[in-house]
Amino acid sequence: MGQMDFHKDVMNNFPASHFTSPLKMTTPQYDLSNTLPPHTLTRLARDWLAEDTPNFDPAGLCVGSHEVEARLLCKTACSVLAGRPFFTAVFTELSCTVEWAHKEGAQLGPDAVAQTAVVRGPARCVLLGERPALNCLARASGIATRCSQLQSIAREAGWHGHVAGTRKTTPGFRLVEKYAMLVGGVSMHRQDLSGMVMLKDNHIWASGSITQAVRDARSVCGFSSKIEVECGSREEGSEAATAGADIVMLDNFKPQELHAAAQLLKEEFPSVLIEASGGVTPDNLPQYLSPHVDIISLGCITQGCPVVDFSLKVQKPVAFPIIFESQ
């Protein structure tokens, strides 16, 4: 039996209710910008602008400070818009205004070019903010688009667990990338090393055993943090759950092995969450979906993810005809 046939057999043998994990996901229409502290947006915008223009701006002399209007164009059809707060924060620092044509999370297109926003302000300031703001928007929208696609794959298969990101983010840019995951409708997973304890293979080898590592971690994280353990076999998963792990990650399992191990672990430890990770891509994601797997995390959400093509075009002034008075 091939992997795809095995996957279909597994999915078809369970009623829809079996595909609801303890982490059943919803997609509420919240204003996600409210999760971003204003002072953090200001700090990031200032850092990005300082990095791009640390000293003089010779090109600013060419355009001066007269008021201009620039149109933000999306040139990648069927993209999910993400990153509006960061884009706006950059131009706010430069005394410019941004008027948006679409909400955060909106799908742009299907037209090849979609007008997305209008930026107004002093010419040199609009051009100072152009590249940092576009970089944020392009990267965030690319991640949100991929997340939306992954979420659609999971839902169309009838699976209601968590599609999740990882800590494989760009140094210094994690907040933008994690926020984009939210906009795209997937779980951010843990924010950082302080957010949740994840004991990986190196932790296990350095501490001596899974049981010892879990015991030591629990002694400092207490009741307020979950402990997840990366496991390379069902036996390791059982040891981790017995030691008190909240989440067992089955790492680099082939789909058939994953389904079998996850089922046995769920039967033995019904309250333990099962995560699958390693080698999962948009193409093979359906093969990993299982009623016994609660979370599937993918590094490709942030690594190798295509960006969305945006451009900012300053509008040329309207040329008025010259009328000469008769002599």
Side-chain angles (χ1 to χ4, degrees), residues 2-38:
Q3 287 184 354
M4 285 301 295
D5 293 332
F6 179 83
H7 164 71
K8 291 177 182 177
D9 184 60
V10 169
M11 298 293 281
N12 290 335
N13 282 335
F14 291 88
S17 60
H18 282 238
F19 290 91
T20 304
S21 79
L23 293 174
K24 184 177 180 181
M25 212 171 168
T26 58
T27 54
Q29 298 301 310
Y30 297 132
D31 181 355
L32 294 173
S33 67
N34 289 325
T35 66
L36 301 169

Side-chain angles (χ1 to χ4, degrees), residues 83-212:
R84 280 184 23 163
F86 305 100
F87 186 96
T88 299
V90 169
F91 284 109
T92 298
E93 279 301 298
L94 296 165
S95 301
C96 300
T97 62
V98 181
E99 181 181 341
W100 290 96
H102 300 279
K103 294 182 178 181
E104 190 83 313
Q107 181 168 300
L108 304 178
D111 296 334
V113 177
Q115 181 165 320
T116 310
V118 175
V119 180
R120 298 181 179 90
R124 69 186 187 92
C125 294
V126 170
L127 297 179
L128 278 173
E130 176 185 10
R131 182 43 54 195
L134 287 178
N135 287 347
C136 291
L137 201 66
R139 177 75 171 143
S141 297
I143 291 171
T145 301
R146 170 159 285 182
C147 289
S148 179
Q149 293 165 347
L150 293 169
Q151 191 74 329
S152 294
I153 291 171
R155 293 297 171 263
E156 287 171 6
W159 187 73
H160 297 287
H162 264 259
V163 177
T166 69
R167 250 176 67 248
K168 295 177 181 178
T169 53
T170 308
F173 209 59
R174 180 177 296 177
L175 183 68
V176 178
E177 295 173 347
K178 290 286 190 178
Y179 172 81
M181 294 178 199
L182 278 183
V183 175
V186 308
S187 170
M188 297 182 291
H189 213 293
R190 59 175 176 165
Q191 301 295 312
D192 46 50
L193 289 177
S194 302
M196 182 181 76
V197 181
M198 183 182 290
L199 301 173
K200 300 177 74 67
D201 51 5
N202 286 327
H203 295 95
I204 304 303
W205 297 334
S207 64
S209 72
I210 289 175
T211 300
Q212 187 63 49

